[in-house]
Amino acid sequence: MEYQEINASTIDRWVREGWEWGQPIDHATFQAAQRGVWDVKLTPTKAVPHEWFGTLYGKRVLGLASGGGQQMPIFCAVGAKCAVLDFSDEQLASERLVAAREGYEIEIVKADMTRPLPFGTATFDMVFHPVSNCYVEEVEPIWRECWRVLKPGGILLAGMDNAINYLFDGEDEREVVNSLPFNPLKNPEQMRQLEASDSGVQFSHTLSEQLGGQLRAGFRLTDLYEDTNGEGRLHELNIPCYIATRAVKEVSV
């Protein structure tokens, strides 16, 4: 079984067990969004600034690895035309549940984001990509595909791990136990750590891969912020372990 399939199966089980990022929004939250009261997250604790979005009404939005019935229903509630791509059946089931309950249309696609995205060139006005590329070995092909499917002037909003989490022991976050990069496909001890903590197959990525990769794909970075884990010792010490970025596909002159 390829690591992508292991991760999809693992996340399916997490959702069935009550994973925070797989629990769909309720009816009241959807109604509040229709009234203009809403927030969404790219990283564990901080809401994305509303000015990052611009006008969403009528815009085509792709939720990339964004299943779970949390962000896409909000965008649909404010009038966006949405598609969501995820490799987890349970995450997509949450999307179907909210769409059926609230009566909106959304394109739901099961696909592996490490492969070419099954959408035409210049299809979307925005790609919304919460923290998830920690589950893939190579991130730069994903940035190139995001650039391809976005229209000129389109916006990429992405959350990503900055690799600090992978340095520390999983329980107390007090001892540095790993060197970087963290790649369990090349380091059997790191794979054993993930198996012991039921963490799927995860990978660290450098800022060169994350930020530099967006720039090399053709994006212009317009803003960013950092965030913590939301719990644990690193969070208590206010050590940022995540970055959220806003980037724009430059319009050709």
Side-chain angles (χ1 to χ4, degrees), residues 3-4 7 114 133-142 182-186 201-205 209:
Y3 80 84
Q4 299 95 324
N7 281 335
T114 67
N133 67 24
C134 54
Y135 297 104
V136 303
E137 187 176 18
E138 300 291 337
V139 299
E140 294 205 37
I142 296 173
F182 188 95
N183 186 331
L185 301 185
K186 298 178 179 178
V201 184
Q202 299 190 32
F203 306 85
S204 71
H205 299 293
E209 293 173 277

Side-chain angles (χ1 to χ4, degrees), residues 38 40 42 48-64 66 71-72 74-76 78 80-84 117 119 122-130 146-147 149-158 219 245-249:
W38 58 273
V40 292
L42 285 165
V48 181
H50 279 218
E51 57 266 26
W52 278 23
F53 296 99
T55 301
L56 283 167
Y57 185 85
K59 297 297 180 63
R60 293 211 63 192
V61 176
L62 171 62
L64 181 59
S66 187
Q71 300 101 17
M72 292 302 105
I74 297 294
F75 298 144
C76 289
V78 300
K81 300 175 182 179
C82 296
V84 60
L117 299 179
F119 305 106
T123 298
F124 296 99
D125 298 289
M126 186 177 82
V127 173
F128 190 86
H129 180 45
C146 288
W147 190 93
V149 302
L150 278 169
K151 299 175 183 179
I155 299 168
L156 169 64
L157 304 184
F219 287 101
T245 59
R246 182 186 189 274
V248 175
K249 178 176 179 177

Side-chain angles (χ1 to χ4, degrees), residues 148-231:
R148 181 185 65 80
V149 302
L150 278 169
K151 299 175 183 179
I155 299 168
L156 169 64
L157 304 184
M160 58 203 78
D161 192 295
N162 67 9
I164 290 175
N165 281 316
Y166 296 102
L167 291 171
F168 291 87
D169 63 281
E171 293 296 326
D172 297 328
E173 298 179 338
R174 291 181 178 277
E175 182 181 358
V176 173
V177 297
N178 287 309
S179 61
L180 296 179
F182 188 95
N183 186 331
L185 301 185
K186 298 178 179 178
N187 187 319
E189 170 55 29
Q190 291 174 351
M191 182 66 84
R192 284 191 287 271
Q193 292 175 30
L194 293 171
E195 290 171 346
S197 60
D198 186 27
S199 297
V201 184
Q202 299 190 32
F203 306 85
S204 71
H205 299 293
T206 65
L207 293 183
S208 177
E209 293 173 277
Q210 300 278 35
L211 305 185
Q214 291 184 28
L215 298 175
R216 285 187 290 275
F219 287 101
R220 175 172 59 88
L221 187 65
T222 63
D223 205 354
L224 61 82
Y225 61 85
E226 295 178 294
D227 198 4
T228 68
N229 288 325
E231 61 181 3

